[in-house]
């Protein structure tokens, strides 16, 4: 948001309440000052912004909508067949959950969960075989830090390291598949800025956040 320069609009949502705050920072410093995530012990559904994962007392789920978008990008631009298989698997799990809920049941069967998890692991393993780690050249050996990886390898590492977060919605039906709630909640703030332009003061931006919070809470 433009408030005498670029600042960040933070939001935290449930189905009943949405909280907004504008802060000069985007990462952990801002979230610590806002004070919600440091105290959160329940589920937090978000994209793979690593600052969120530093709050280890919370339960983390990675947004499926963001993940499907990334997988589609890899299919279209890197011709990654494993990514297409992962899209189909995640979609199949969603359908299985919907069918299970329609029957009044609160969880997938143990056999279904085992099958889906095994297929998930197989897809990731296949992807890692076709996307090995980049080799360090002599020039890179003289530099510090990691060798830059391709987008497919970066996503595969995330899927390999965080299966519990990617599949959280499968294990617990109370966990939403995506964080579209947050996307919907910030839509009016984007519209306000598009129509009215920037805020003239910090107080004005804070008042806007408080009014939006009150409106959603009510």
């Amino acid at each position: 948001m433009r408030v005498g320069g670029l600042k960040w609009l933070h939001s935290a949502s449930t189905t009943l309440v949405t909280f907004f705050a504008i802060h000069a920072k985007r990462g952990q410093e801002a979230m610590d000052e806002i004070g919600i995530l440091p105290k959160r012990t329940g589920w937090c559904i978000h994209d793979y912004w690593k600052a969120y994962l530093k709050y280890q007392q919370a339960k983390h789920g990675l947004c499926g909508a963001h993940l499907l978008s990334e997988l589609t990008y890899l299919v279209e631009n890197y011709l990654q067949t494993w990514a297409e298989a992962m899209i189909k698997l995640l979609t199949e799990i969603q359908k299985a959950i919907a069918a299970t809920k329609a029957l009044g049941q609160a969880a997938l069967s143990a056999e279904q969960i085992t099958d889906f998890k095994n297929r998930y692991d197989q897809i990731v393993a296949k992807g890692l075989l076709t996307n090995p780690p980049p080799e360090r050249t002599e020039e890179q050996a003289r530099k510090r830090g990691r060798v830059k990886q391709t987008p497919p390898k970066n996503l595969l590492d995330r899927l390999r390291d965080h299966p519990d977060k990617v599949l959280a919605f499968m294990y617990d039906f109370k966990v939403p598949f995506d964080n579209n709630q947050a996307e919907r909640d910030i839509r009016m703030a984007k519209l306000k800025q598009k129509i009215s332009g920037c805020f003239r003061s910090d107080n004005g931006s804070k008042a806007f956040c408080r009014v939006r919070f009150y409106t959603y809470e009510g």
Side-chain angles (χ1 to χ4, degrees), residues 9-108:
L9 176 67
H10 296 256
S11 71
S13 309
T14 71
T15 55
L16 298 177
V17 180
T18 299
F19 181 84
F20 296 101
I22 289 182
H23 198 282
K25 300 292 184 178
R26 182 186 181 190
Q28 188 174 4
E29 178 182 342
M31 289 184 277
D32 283 346
E33 290 186 17
I34 292 169
I36 293 177
L37 288 183
K39 300 176 182 178
R40 178 70 175 164
T41 57
W43 284 103
C44 298
I45 312 303
H46 50 76
D47 60 9
Y48 190 61
W49 178 240
K50 289 187 177 180
Y52 296 134
L53 299 179
K54 294 181 180 180
Y55 300 99
Q56 297 181 9
Q57 82 289 346
K59 301 175 184 179
H60 295 276
L62 298 182
C63 172
H66 282 86
L67 182 56
L68 289 177
S69 178
E70 291 182 81
L71 290 166
T72 300
Y73 174 81
L74 296 185
V75 171
E76 295 176 349
N77 294 277
Y78 290 86
L79 305 180
Q80 298 284 311
T81 56
W82 68 266
E84 187 171 8
M86 185 62 77
I87 292 173
K88 291 180 180 178
L89 175 61
L90 294 175
T91 303
E92 185 178 341
I93 296 173
Q94 282 184 284
K95 291 179 179 179
I97 291 173
T100 302
K101 287 182 176 179
L103 295 174
Q105 300 173 4
L108 297 176

Side-chain angles (χ1 to χ4, degrees), residues 102-125:
L103 295 174
Q105 300 173 4
L108 297 176
S109 68
E111 293 78 10
Q112 285 176 301
I113 291 175
T114 299
D115 176 62
F116 286 141
K117 181 56 168 61
N118 288 341
R119 288 165 58 188
Y120 176 96
D121 291 339
Q122 291 167 6
I123 293 170
V124 173

